[in-house]
mmCIF file of all heavy atoms in Angstrom:
data_model
loop_
_atom_site.group_PDB
_atom_site.id
_atom_site.type_symbol
_atom_site.label_atom_id
_atom_site.label_comp_id
_atom_site.label_asym_id
_atom_site.label_seq_id
_atom_site.Cartn_x
_atom_site.Cartn_y
_atom_site.Cartn_z
ATOM 1 N N THR A 1 0.838 -1.197 0.000
ATOM 2 C CA THR A 1 0.000 0.000 0.000
ATOM 3 C C THR A 1 0.873 1.246 0.000
ATOM 4 O O THR A 1 0.637 2.187 -0.762
ATOM 5 C CB THR A 1 -0.940 -0.003 1.220
ATOM 6 O OG1 THR A 1 -1.764 -1.179 1.153
ATOM 7 C CG2 THR A 1 -1.818 1.231 1.253
ATOM 8 N N VAL A 2 1.906 1.246 0.823
ATOM 9 C CA VAL A 2 2.810 2.392 0.896
ATOM 10 C C VAL A 2 3.519 2.590 -0.444
ATOM 11 O O VAL A 2 3.637 3.715 -0.929
ATOM 12 C CB VAL A 2 3.821 2.231 2.046
ATOM 13 C CG1 VAL A 2 4.813 3.388 2.071
ATOM 14 C CG2 VAL A 2 3.093 2.111 3.383
ATOM 15 N N ARG A 3 3.988 1.504 -1.058
ATOM 16 C CA ARG A 3 4.674 1.611 -2.363
ATOM 17 C C ARG A 3 3.748 2.201 -3.425
ATOM 18 O O ARG A 3 4.174 3.015 -4.244
ATOM 19 C CB ARG A 3 5.192 0.244 -2.811
ATOM 20 C CG ARG A 3 6.478 -0.160 -2.125
ATOM 21 C CD ARG A 3 7.138 -1.367 -2.792
ATOM 22 N NE ARG A 3 6.252 -2.514 -2.928
ATOM 23 C CZ ARG A 3 6.106 -3.477 -2.028
ATOM 24 N NH1 ARG A 3 6.812 -3.444 -0.908
ATOM 25 N NH2 ARG A 3 5.290 -4.486 -2.238
ATOM 26 N N ALA A 4 2.483 1.804 -3.429
ATOM 27 C CA ALA A 4 1.527 2.328 -4.413
ATOM 28 C C ALA A 4 1.302 3.825 -4.204
ATOM 29 O O ALA A 4 1.201 4.584 -5.173
ATOM 30 C CB ALA A 4 0.210 1.565 -4.334
ATOM 31 N N ALA A 5 1.244 4.256 -2.959
ATOM 32 C CA ALA A 5 1.084 5.686 -2.674
ATOM 33 C C ALA A 5 2.331 6.457 -3.100
ATOM 34 O O ALA A 5 2.236 7.505 -3.742
ATOM 35 C CB ALA A 5 0.810 5.899 -1.186
ATOM 36 N N TYR A 6 3.486 5.925 -2.766
ATOM 37 C CA TYR A 6 4.758 6.587 -3.064
ATOM 38 C C TYR A 6 4.996 6.710 -4.574
ATOM 39 O O TYR A 6 5.684 7.624 -5.021
ATOM 40 C CB TYR A 6 5.894 5.812 -2.405
ATOM 41 C CG TYR A 6 7.223 6.494 -2.479
ATOM 42 C CD1 TYR A 6 7.524 7.559 -1.627
ATOM 43 C CD2 TYR A 6 8.196 6.075 -3.374
ATOM 44 C CE1 TYR A 6 8.753 8.189 -1.684
ATOM 45 C CE2 TYR A 6 9.429 6.702 -3.433
ATOM 46 C CZ TYR A 6 9.695 7.754 -2.589
ATOM 47 O OH TYR A 6 10.916 8.386 -2.646
ATOM 48 N N ALA A 7 4.400 5.848 -5.340
ATOM 49 C CA ALA A 7 4.572 5.877 -6.801
ATOM 50 C C ALA A 7 3.938 7.114 -7.433
ATOM 51 O O ALA A 7 4.264 7.463 -8.571
ATOM 52 C CB ALA A 7 3.985 4.609 -7.431
ATOM 53 N N GLN A 8 3.048 7.787 -6.720
ATOM 54 C CA GLN A 8 2.408 8.996 -7.233
ATOM 55 C C GLN A 8 3.248 10.219 -6.845
ATOM 56 O O GLN A 8 3.339 10.563 -5.664
ATOM 57 C CB GLN A 8 0.991 9.134 -6.650
ATOM 58 C CG GLN A 8 0.034 8.086 -7.121
ATOM 59 C CD GLN A 8 -0.262 8.237 -8.596
ATOM 60 O OE1 GLN A 8 -0.377 9.340 -9.132
ATOM 61 N NE2 GLN A 8 -0.384 7.109 -9.268
ATOM 62 N N PRO A 9 3.870 10.892 -7.820
ATOM 63 C CA PRO A 9 4.772 12.005 -7.512
ATOM 64 C C PRO A 9 4.157 13.096 -6.634
ATOM 65 O O PRO A 9 4.820 13.602 -5.723
ATOM 66 C CB PRO A 9 5.147 12.560 -8.888
ATOM 67 C CG PRO A 9 4.997 11.387 -9.802
ATOM 68 C CD PRO A 9 3.835 10.604 -9.255
ATOM 69 N N ARG A 10 2.913 13.464 -6.849
ATOM 70 C CA ARG A 10 2.305 14.537 -6.038
ATOM 71 C C ARG A 10 2.087 14.081 -4.599
ATOM 72 O O ARG A 10 2.185 14.883 -3.674
ATOM 73 C CB ARG A 10 0.994 15.006 -6.650
ATOM 74 C CG ARG A 10 1.250 15.847 -7.897
ATOM 75 C CD ARG A 10 0.100 16.688 -8.316
ATOM 76 N NE ARG A 10 -0.244 17.742 -7.373
ATOM 77 C CZ ARG A 10 -1.432 18.311 -7.330
ATOM 78 N NH1 ARG A 10 -2.393 17.928 -8.134
ATOM 79 N NH2 ARG A 10 -1.681 19.277 -6.458
ATOM 80 N N LEU A 11 1.791 12.804 -4.406
ATOM 81 C CA LEU A 11 1.594 12.296 -3.049
ATOM 82 C C LEU A 11 2.920 12.174 -2.314
ATOM 83 O O LEU A 11 2.990 12.359 -1.100
ATOM 84 C CB LEU A 11 0.882 10.944 -3.082
ATOM 85 C CG LEU A 11 -0.522 10.942 -3.689
ATOM 86 C CD1 LEU A 11 -1.111 9.547 -3.650
ATOM 87 C CD2 LEU A 11 -1.423 11.952 -3.011
ATOM 88 N N ARG A 12 3.978 11.882 -3.054
ATOM 89 C CA ARG A 12 5.305 11.698 -2.474
ATOM 90 C C ARG A 12 5.794 12.955 -1.757
ATOM 91 O O ARG A 12 6.584 12.869 -0.827
ATOM 92 C CB ARG A 12 6.280 11.319 -3.587
ATOM 93 C CG ARG A 12 7.552 10.707 -3.134
ATOM 94 C CD ARG A 12 8.446 10.317 -4.293
ATOM 95 N NE ARG A 12 7.744 9.513 -5.278
ATOM 96 C CZ ARG A 12 7.893 9.628 -6.596
ATOM 97 N NH1 ARG A 12 8.734 10.499 -7.107
ATOM 98 N NH2 ARG A 12 7.209 8.862 -7.415
ATOM 99 N N GLY A 13 5.314 14.121 -2.155
ATOM 100 C CA GLY A 13 5.720 15.368 -1.525
ATOM 101 C C GLY A 13 4.928 15.703 -0.269
ATOM 102 O O GLY A 13 5.272 16.633 0.459
ATOM 103 N N LEU A 14 3.865 14.951 -0.019
ATOM 104 C CA LEU A 14 3.037 15.182 1.153
ATOM 105 C C LEU A 14 3.492 14.297 2.304
ATOM 106 O O LEU A 14 4.148 13.283 2.089
ATOM 107 C CB LEU A 14 1.576 14.896 0.820
ATOM 108 C CG LEU A 14 0.982 15.769 -0.280
ATOM 109 C CD1 LEU A 14 -0.402 15.279 -0.664
ATOM 110 C CD2 LEU A 14 0.951 17.233 0.153
ATOM 111 N N PHE A 15 3.124 14.661 3.516
ATOM 112 C CA PHE A 15 3.487 13.868 4.683
ATOM 113 C C PHE A 15 2.496 12.716 4.805
ATOM 114 O O PHE A 15 1.294 12.940 4.950
ATOM 115 C CB PHE A 15 3.460 14.737 5.941
ATOM 116 C CG PHE A 15 4.144 14.097 7.110
ATOM 117 C CD1 PHE A 15 5.516 14.158 7.243
ATOM 118 C CD2 PHE A 15 3.414 13.421 8.065
ATOM 119 C CE1 PHE A 15 6.163 13.562 8.317
ATOM 120 C CE2 PHE A 15 4.040 12.820 9.150
ATOM 121 C CZ PHE A 15 5.419 12.888 9.275
ATOM 122 N N PRO A 16 2.977 11.463 4.739
ATOM 123 C CA PRO A 16 2.071 10.318 4.806
ATOM 124 C C PRO A 16 1.702 9.984 6.255
ATOM 125 O O PRO A 16 2.541 10.022 7.150
ATOM 126 C CB PRO A 16 2.899 9.187 4.188
ATOM 127 C CG PRO A 16 4.310 9.535 4.558
ATOM 128 C CD PRO A 16 4.372 11.046 4.532
ATOM 129 N N LEU A 17 0.452 9.682 6.444
ATOM 130 C CA LEU A 17 -0.051 9.266 7.748
ATOM 131 C C LEU A 17 -0.777 7.942 7.566
ATOM 132 O O LEU A 17 -1.346 7.691 6.499
ATOM 133 C CB LEU A 17 -1.020 10.319 8.299
ATOM 134 C CG LEU A 17 -0.418 11.713 8.496
ATOM 135 C CD1 LEU A 17 -1.521 12.754 8.619
ATOM 136 C CD2 LEU A 17 0.456 11.732 9.722
ATOM 137 N N VAL A 18 -0.750 7.107 8.577
ATOM 138 C CA VAL A 18 -1.429 5.812 8.482
ATOM 139 C C VAL A 18 -2.189 5.529 9.770
ATOM 140 O O VAL A 18 -1.841 6.023 10.835
ATOM 141 C CB VAL A 18 -0.454 4.648 8.198
ATOM 142 C CG1 VAL A 18 0.286 4.843 6.891
ATOM 143 C CG2 VAL A 18 0.529 4.457 9.337
ATOM 144 N N GLY A 19 -3.203 4.719 9.619
ATOM 145 C CA GLY A 19 -3.958 4.280 10.774
ATOM 146 C C GLY A 19 -4.892 3.165 10.375
ATOM 147 O O GLY A 19 -5.689 3.336 9.455
ATOM 148 N N HIS A 20 -4.747 2.023 11.001
ATOM 149 C CA HIS A 20 -5.652 0.886 10.802
ATOM 150 C C HIS A 20 -5.831 0.510 9.328
ATOM 151 O O HIS A 20 -6.948 0.313 8.861
ATOM 152 C CB HIS A 20 -7.001 1.171 11.463
ATOM 153 C CG HIS A 20 -6.851 1.534 12.909
ATOM 154 N ND1 HIS A 20 -6.496 0.606 13.864
ATOM 155 C CD2 HIS A 20 -6.940 2.720 13.549
ATOM 156 C CE1 HIS A 20 -6.403 1.215 15.044
ATOM 157 N NE2 HIS A 20 -6.653 2.485 14.875
ATOM 158 N N GLY A 21 -4.726 0.444 8.612
ATOM 159 C CA GLY A 21 -4.764 0.019 7.219
ATOM 160 C C GLY A 21 -5.142 1.104 6.238
ATOM 161 O O GLY A 21 -5.311 0.843 5.048
ATOM 162 N N VAL A 22 -5.277 2.340 6.712
ATOM 163 C CA VAL A 22 -5.672 3.461 5.861
ATOM 164 C C VAL A 22 -4.488 4.408 5.709
ATOM 165 O O VAL A 22 -3.822 4.745 6.691
ATOM 166 C CB VAL A 22 -6.868 4.221 6.471
ATOM 167 C CG1 VAL A 22 -7.229 5.437 5.635
ATOM 168 C CG2 VAL A 22 -8.062 3.287 6.610
ATOM 169 N N VAL A 23 -4.230 4.835 4.467
ATOM 170 C CA VAL A 23 -3.192 5.830 4.199
ATOM 171 C C VAL A 23 -3.887 7.147 3.895
ATOM 172 O O VAL A 23 -4.842 7.183 3.127
ATOM 173 C CB VAL A 23 -2.323 5.424 2.989
ATOM 174 C CG1 VAL A 23 -1.322 6.524 2.652
ATOM 175 C CG2 VAL A 23 -1.595 4.132 3.247
ATOM 176 N N TYR A 24 -3.392 8.215 4.520
ATOM 177 C CA TYR A 24 -3.904 9.540 4.201
ATOM 178 C C TYR A 24 -2.738 10.510 4.234
ATOM 179 O O TYR A 24 -1.609 10.113 4.550
ATOM 180 C CB TYR A 24 -5.064 9.948 5.117
ATOM 181 C CG TYR A 24 -4.841 9.775 6.592
ATOM 182 C CD1 TYR A 24 -4.604 10.877 7.401
ATOM 183 C CD2 TYR A 24 -4.882 8.525 7.194
ATOM 184 C CE1 TYR A 24 -4.417 10.737 8.765
ATOM 185 C CE2 TYR A 24 -4.695 8.377 8.561
ATOM 186 C CZ TYR A 24 -4.456 9.489 9.340
ATOM 187 O OH TYR A 24 -4.262 9.347 10.682
ATOM 188 N N PHE A 25 -2.966 11.753 3.889
ATOM 189 C CA PHE A 25 -1.869 12.683 3.640
ATOM 190 C C PHE A 25 -2.113 14.026 4.293
ATOM 191 O O PHE A 25 -3.248 14.471 4.428
ATOM 192 C CB PHE A 25 -1.693 12.875 2.129
ATOM 193 C CG PHE A 25 -1.512 11.566 1.420
ATOM 194 C CD1 PHE A 25 -2.606 10.885 0.915
ATOM 195 C CD2 PHE A 25 -0.257 10.988 1.315
ATOM 196 C CE1 PHE A 25 -2.454 9.651 0.305
ATOM 197 C CE2 PHE A 25 -0.095 9.757 0.708
ATOM 198 C CZ PHE A 25 -1.194 9.087 0.199
ATOM 199 N N SER A 26 -0.998 14.667 4.667
ATOM 200 C CA SER A 26 -1.056 15.987 5.271
ATOM 201 C C SER A 26 -0.200 16.952 4.465
ATOM 202 O O SER A 26 0.857 16.575 3.944
ATOM 203 C CB SER A 26 -0.547 15.934 6.713
ATOM 204 O OG SER A 26 -0.571 17.225 7.290
ATOM 205 N N GLY A 27 -0.644 18.183 4.407
ATOM 206 C CA GLY A 27 0.119 19.235 3.744
ATOM 207 C C GLY A 27 1.151 19.867 4.655
ATOM 208 O O GLY A 27 1.788 20.840 4.290
ATOM 209 N N CYS A 28 1.310 19.291 5.873
ATOM 210 C CA CYS A 28 2.311 19.792 6.808
ATOM 211 C C CYS A 28 2.929 18.616 7.557
ATOM 212 O O CYS A 28 2.399 17.514 7.543
ATOM 213 C CB CYS A 28 1.689 20.792 7.782
ATOM 214 S SG CYS A 28 0.368 20.115 8.782
ATOM 215 N N THR A 29 4.045 18.880 8.201
ATOM 216 C CA THR A 29 4.777 17.810 8.887
ATOM 217 C C THR A 29 4.397 17.646 10.344
ATOM 218 O O THR A 29 4.775 16.670 10.975
ATOM 219 C CB THR A 29 6.294 18.069 8.808
ATOM 220 O OG1 THR A 29 6.577 19.311 9.459
ATOM 221 C CG2 THR A 29 6.776 18.088 7.374
ATOM 222 N N GLY A 30 3.689 18.605 10.909
ATOM 223 C CA GLY A 30 3.363 18.569 12.323
ATOM 224 C C GLY A 30 1.879 18.389 12.588
ATOM 225 O O GLY A 30 1.094 18.110 11.686
ATOM 226 N N MET A 31 1.533 18.590 13.861
ATOM 227 C CA MET A 31 0.143 18.487 14.283
ATOM 228 C C MET A 31 -0.346 19.861 14.703
ATOM 229 O O MET A 31 0.431 20.641 15.248
ATOM 230 C CB MET A 31 0.010 17.494 15.438
ATOM 231 C CG MET A 31 0.308 16.069 15.040
ATOM 232 S SD MET A 31 -0.904 15.540 13.835
ATOM 233 C CE MET A 31 -0.076 14.146 13.115
ATOM 234 N N PRO A 32 -1.587 20.191 14.445
ATOM 235 C CA PRO A 32 -2.556 19.301 13.810
ATOM 236 C C PRO A 32 -2.245 19.129 12.329
ATOM 237 O O PRO A 32 -1.705 20.032 11.688
ATOM 238 C CB PRO A 32 -3.896 20.010 14.019
ATOM 239 C CG PRO A 32 -3.533 21.459 14.147
ATOM 240 C CD PRO A 32 -2.168 21.501 14.784
ATOM 241 N N ALA A 33 -2.601 17.959 11.824
ATOM 242 C CA ALA A 33 -2.378 17.655 10.413
ATOM 243 C C ALA A 33 -3.320 18.494 9.547
ATOM 244 O O ALA A 33 -4.399 18.888 9.985
ATOM 245 C CB ALA A 33 -2.631 16.168 10.155
ATOM 246 N N ALA A 34 -2.890 18.767 8.339
ATOM 247 C CA ALA A 34 -3.717 19.458 7.348
ATOM 248 C C ALA A 34 -4.092 18.421 6.299
ATOM 249 O O ALA A 34 -3.371 18.222 5.325
ATOM 250 C CB ALA A 34 -2.950 20.610 6.715
ATOM 251 N N HIS A 35 -5.179 17.714 6.525
ATOM 252 C CA HIS A 35 -5.588 16.622 5.650
ATOM 253 C C HIS A 35 -5.862 17.132 4.240
ATOM 254 O O HIS A 35 -6.621 18.089 4.057
ATOM 255 C CB HIS A 35 -6.831 15.927 6.199
ATOM 256 C CG HIS A 35 -6.595 15.276 7.517
ATOM 257 N ND1 HIS A 35 -6.196 13.962 7.630
ATOM 258 C CD2 HIS A 35 -6.656 15.753 8.781
ATOM 259 C CE1 HIS A 35 -6.040 13.655 8.900
ATOM 260 N NE2 HIS A 35 -6.319 14.728 9.621
ATOM 261 N N VAL A 36 -5.223 16.492 3.256
ATOM 262 C CA VAL A 36 -5.426 16.843 1.845
ATOM 263 C C VAL A 36 -5.598 15.563 1.048
ATOM 264 O O VAL A 36 -5.191 14.480 1.472
ATOM 265 C CB VAL A 36 -4.246 17.664 1.273
ATOM 266 C CG1 VAL A 36 -4.150 19.023 1.935
ATOM 267 C CG2 VAL A 36 -2.932 16.920 1.403
ATOM 268 N N GLY A 37 -6.184 15.694 -0.133
ATOM 269 C CA GLY A 37 -6.361 14.520 -0.995
ATOM 270 C C GLY A 37 -7.452 13.628 -0.481
ATOM 271 O O GLY A 37 -8.574 14.063 -0.258
#
């Protein structure tokens, strides 16, 4: 799942977050997260 996400260049620049088998993305590196996509 992580490899498939990383294969997308625009997603690769975002901060990846995971939880319970779900991948999501943040536009920032800290908290609170800025959920995007």
Side-chain angles (χ1 to χ4, degrees):
T1 300
V2 177
R3 281 192 306 270
Y6 188 77
Q8 293 293 322
R10 286 198 66 202
L11 298 180
R12 198 178 309 140
L14 299 172
F15 194 82
L17 300 162
V18 300
H20 306 289
V22 177
V23 175
Y24 49 105
F25 306 91
S26 179
C28 60
T29 61
M31 293 296 161
H35 297 269
V36 294

